[in-house]
Amino acid sequence: MQLPNDIRGKWGEQLLQQILTKAGVQSTWLADENTNQPDGVYDIKTAKSTRIEVKTAAHGSCWQHENIYAAPVWDFVAFIDIQYDCITFTFISYEDLSVCLTPEGIRHPLFGRT
């Protein structure tokens, strides 16, 4: 069964929040309140003010994540990629990803994607 993007996204956000809690990282999951924050657009904020944007995708013919803001409104993006037998977590900072968040569509040196 395929989940709609919003439901899959909330599942990934909640999963990461639970993992952070189990690891002893104090954080707040914003759920549906993530777009009108005065300090950015993100899904989870740690007690040390690290802003994490979560993007969850299930493998079909390719990994398809929803749009990522090019402006520095988050500190890290967490890609949660789901396959039938495993889940992969990839964290990348804004500074390391911003090279390909340009209008010129420069390919990221590690991911090879614009």
Side-chain angles (χ1 to χ4, degrees), residues 4-73:
N5 289 344
D6 285 345
I7 293 173
R8 183 175 51 242
K10 285 181 184 177
W11 180 87
E13 294 166 14
Q14 188 174 24
L15 174 65
L16 182 56
Q17 174 66 27
Q18 290 172 349
I19 290 170
L20 291 171
T21 299
K22 293 280 185 188
V25 177
Q26 293 181 354
S27 59
T28 302
W29 174 38
L30 299 175
D32 292 332
E33 304 296 321
N34 69 327
T35 57
N36 291 319
Q37 298 300 312
D39 61 343
V41 179
Y42 51 88
D43 299 303
I44 297 172
K45 188 172 189 178
T46 70
K48 293 187 177 188
S49 297
T50 300
R51 304 166 300 169
I52 305 170
E53 177 69 357
V54 180
K55 298 296 181 181
T56 306
H59 192 262
S61 59
C62 67
W63 296 109
Q64 181 65 45
H65 294 278
E66 293 297 310
N67 295 334
I68 300 169
Y69 285 94
V73 294

Side-chain angles (χ1 to χ4, degrees), residues 94-109:
Y94 178 82
E95 290 77 24
D96 288 339
L97 189 61
S98 63
V99 66
C100 66
L101 297 177
T102 62
E104 294 83 29
I106 297 169
R107 292 191 180 277
H108 189 271

